[in-house]
Structures are given as C-alpha cells and as structure tokens.
Amino acid sequence: MNDRNRHPDNNRPRRGPSGAGSEGPSDGRLVEVHSQLSRDKDEPAEGFSLTPIFIVFLFCGFGFWAGLYLTQNSGNFAPSAFDLNAPKASLAGGPVVFEPDAAKGETLFLANCAACHQATGLGVPGAFPPLVKSVWVTGSEDRLVKAIVAGLAGEIEVNGVKYNGNMPNIGAGLKDGQIAHIATYVRQAWGNVAEPVMDTKVAEVRKAIGNRAQYNPADLLKEHPLEAK
C-alpha cells in the first residue's frame, strides 16, 4: 500500500489557528478590517484645504516689513546710495551735505599714502617725511590740498630734517570728497589737531591750479609760508 492510501487526510485543506482555510482571511474578516481602517482615517474630499490663518497673517506681515525696509533704506536705488564716499543727504531732505570722515580717510590713506608715509604717519627716515606733528599737515589747508592734488618734488624740510623725495599727484585719480577725507584724517590722526577739510575747499584748489605739474616745496612755501609752531 502506498503512502497516499495510508494517509488519506493529506489531501484535505489545512486550517490555520482561526479555522480559516489556507486561502487566507475570509471575506467577512476583510470587511471588518476595512471598516476599522475607515473609522480611523478621514475620507478624502474634493477641492483644496484652507491654509491655517496664522500662516496667512505671518506671510502678509513679512511682506509689509520688507516693503517698509526697502522704502526706508533703498536710497531710491540711486548709485550714490551705495558709494561710501558719496556725500550724505540732509535729514530735512534738502541739498546734499558733505561730511568729512576721518574713518574713510584712513582707508583711503592706507591705500594711497601709507607705502611712503607708513600707517603710523612716521614716514621713512632719510626718504619720506613724517606727517606726525608736521606743520605741513596741520597748517594751511590750501598748502596741504595742493600737495595732495599736484604732488611735490624737491628738497623739503620737516621738523628740522631735510628730505629730497618725490610725492606723486595722487589727487589726480581721486574725487574731491576722497581727498577731503584723506586730508581730514592726517590732520586729526597720531595726535595731530586741526580742522577738517571740506570737499568744497578741494574743488576750489583744484580749479585754481588746473593741471599743473608737481610743486617744488620752495615754490609752494612762497604761496603759503609755514606757520609758527
């Protein structure tokens, strides 16, 4: 007798612990599970859900703040509004007013003058004269501005020491306001005490001397003698 005849129950479908056949859960069980899931989850609806109201207010508030900020700080998007050396407008909305700025002058000085006169203003012994406690700096505004705009060439005596250097006309490549910033800085740095220089003074001097060559220090002193200390 073969195994099939000895074990007739082998051909019967086996049932799981729940009594269901090997085909899986019954239809009734599937319906029950689906009903449970339906109760736990909202049915989908057509259309769009409303954005939470606080997000709407937050977005509107940000837009209002951004518009207000641009209105107050854009400078009407004029190029001069982003120029650090441009004159500032008066608070009353009147004509543009220039303000000598020693901090801007320091930046310009370091870029254009410090190679010779040094960041300390002490110059280089035997080569370039100091600007510290120098009447050439703290004295006549016209003399100082002429030296910056046109340059100096020849023997010059500063604080009792003679130098024979060559100062290029760095002012030729700078705006009136930039020269005024530099002149103001050197007149007020390193313990120097002197009045600031306005851009109108630079414009006046530039117009008076035109495109002249470098000054000889002796000739410049004829126009503006050194002041007594």
Side-chain angles (χ1 to χ4, degrees):
M1 183 180 293
N2 57 31
D3 293 340
R4 182 175 181 180
N5 293 330
R6 284 186 297 173
H7 302 285
D9 292 340
N10 288 343
N11 295 328
R12 296 179 182 179
R14 298 180 182 275
R15 296 181 180 275
S18 62
S22 60
E23 291 81 359
S26 65
D27 292 343
R29 179 58 179 165
L30 290 175
V31 171
E32 181 182 350
V33 172
H34 179 73
S35 299
Q36 180 66 33
L37 293 175
S38 298
R39 288 193 297 270
D40 295 341
K41 185 177 181 181
D42 294 335
E43 290 292 334
E46 295 183 357
F48 299 95
S49 60
L50 295 177
T51 302
I53 192 66
F54 80 92
I55 294 181
V56 175
F57 279 109
L58 181 64
F59 182 79
C60 292
F62 177 77
F64 176 78
W65 173 84
L68 185 63
Y69 180 85
L70 286 175
T71 300
Q72 295 179 342
N73 298 280
S74 66
N76 294 324
F77 296 100
S80 60
F82 306 98
D83 183 357
L84 295 179
N85 298 305
K88 299 177 181 178
S90 65
L91 295 177
V96 173
V97 178
F98 177 81
E99 296 181 8
D101 192 324
K104 293 178 181 178
E106 180 181 15
T107 300
L108 291 164
F109 175 85
L110 293 175
N112 296 277
C113 315
C116 296
H117 295 292
Q118 305 301 299
T120 59
L122 295 176
V124 177
F128 304 109
L131 305 179
V132 178
K133 298 180 180 179
S134 170
V135 181
W136 282 87
V137 174
T138 59
S140 168
E141 293 181 12
D142 292 78
R143 184 177 60 237
L144 175 61
V145 173
K146 286 181 178 180
I148 296 174
V149 173
L152 292 173
E155 186 179 81
I156 183 174
E157 183 175 333
V158 179
N159 296 336
V161 180
K162 293 183 179 180
Y163 301 84
N164 196 357
N166 187 309
M167 176 178 171
N169 58 337
I170 63 170
L174 298 174
K175 299 177 182 178
D176 294 344
Q178 292 175 312
I179 295 175
H181 291 322
I182 292 175
T184 297
Y185 171 68
V186 298
R187 287 165 66 86
Q188 297 180 352
W190 316 300
N192 290 343
V193 179
E195 292 296 319
V197 177
M198 298 296 293
D199 61 336
T200 50
K201 168 59 70 175
V202 178
E204 174 189 319
V205 170
R206 199 193 292 270
K207 182 179 180 180
I209 66 176
N211 295 322
R212 67 154 292 148
Q214 290 170 295
Y215 275 98
N216 181 284
D219 293 335
L220 187 54
L221 288 179
K222 291 178 182 178
E223 297 180 10
H224 308 283
L226 288 180
E227 297 79 6
K229 293 185 178 180

